[in-house]
C-alpha cells in the first residue's frame, strides 16, 4: 500500500454556522492523503495506473465550494466523492482547517480530521 498526499490546499470558502461566515467567507487549508496499491504505476510509468492527484485536488475544490455549517460535513463529502470517483483508493484521511476562525480568541486555526477505509 502506498500513500499520495496533497498538503495545504488553500481555498477561500463560506462554511460556518454564523450568517456572516456565509456572506464574508474565510481562508481554509485542506490536507488529504489517500492509500492505494501503486505497484503497477511504479512499473508502467503510466498515469492511468495511479491515483491522479489533479483529480483529488479537483474533488477538494468542488466540495469546498458547497457551503456547509460544519467542517465535518465538508470532510465527509470529500471522502465520499474520492471513493465514488477513484476506485483505486482504499483509504482516505482529510483535514479541513479554518484559518483565523471567528471564535472570540487568538486562534490560528481550527481543524477536523476524518478517515475512512473502503
Amino acid at each position: 500500500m502506498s500513500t499520495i498526499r496533497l498538503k495545504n490546499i488553500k481555498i477561500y470558502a463560506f462554511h460556518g454556522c454564523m450568517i456572516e461566515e456565509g456572506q464574508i467567507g474565510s481562508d481554509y487549508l485542506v490536507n488529504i492523503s489517500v492509500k492505494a496499491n501503486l505497484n503497477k504505476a511504479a512499473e508502467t510509468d503510466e498515469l492511468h495506473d495511479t491515483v491522479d492527484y489533479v483529480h483529488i485536488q479537483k474533488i477538494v475544490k468542488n466540495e469546498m465550494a458547497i457551503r456547509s455549517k460544519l467542517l465535518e460535513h465538508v470532510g465527509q463529502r470529500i471522502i465520499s466523492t474520492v471513493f465514488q470517483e477513484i476506485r483505486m483508493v482504499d483509504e482516505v484521511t482529510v483535514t479541513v482547517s479554518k484559518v483565523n476562525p471567528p471564535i472570540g480568541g487568538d486562534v490560528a486555526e481550527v481543524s477536523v480530521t476524518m478517515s475512512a477505509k473502503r
Side-chain angles (χ1 to χ4, degrees):
M1 198 64 55
S2 301
T3 303
I4 293 177
R5 290 186 179 95
L6 282 75
K7 183 177 179 179
N8 291 337
I9 303 169
K10 296 177 185 178
I11 296 178
Y12 196 84
F14 297 88
H15 307 300
C17 293
M18 298 187 322
I19 294 171
E20 296 82 9
E21 291 175 299
Q23 296 170 342
I24 299 168
S26 59
D27 292 314
Y28 291 82
L29 294 174
V30 178
N31 290 281
I32 185 168
S33 64
V34 300
K35 291 189 177 187
N37 184 336
L38 303 179
N39 291 338
K40 187 173 181 183
E43 291 176 18
T44 66
D45 196 29
E46 295 293 336
L47 181 60
H48 63 267
D49 290 330
T50 192
V51 176
D52 184 355
Y53 51 79
V54 174
H55 191 173
I56 296 170
Q57 193 275 339
K58 180 182 170 191
I59 290 169
V60 169
K61 181 180 175 186
N62 290 343
E63 294 304 328
M64 287 295 292
I66 301 168
R67 177 164 161 64
S68 292
K69 290 183 274 183
L70 302 177
L71 299 181
E72 293 89 330
H73 191 252
V74 180
Q76 185 57 56
R77 281 202 325 264
I78 291 169
I79 290 169
S80 296
T81 304
V82 168
F83 283 148
Q84 286 174 351
E85 294 187 10
I86 309 173
R87 295 283 178 214
M88 290 182 72
V89 172
D90 295 317
E91 187 174 339
V92 180
T93 299
V94 63
T95 300
V96 181
S97 302
K98 182 182 286 192
V99 180
N100 297 318
I103 60 174
D106 187 13
V107 177
E109 67 181 41
V110 295
S111 62
V112 171
T113 300
M114 302 175 74
S115 297
K117 293 181 181 181
R118 189 180 295 278

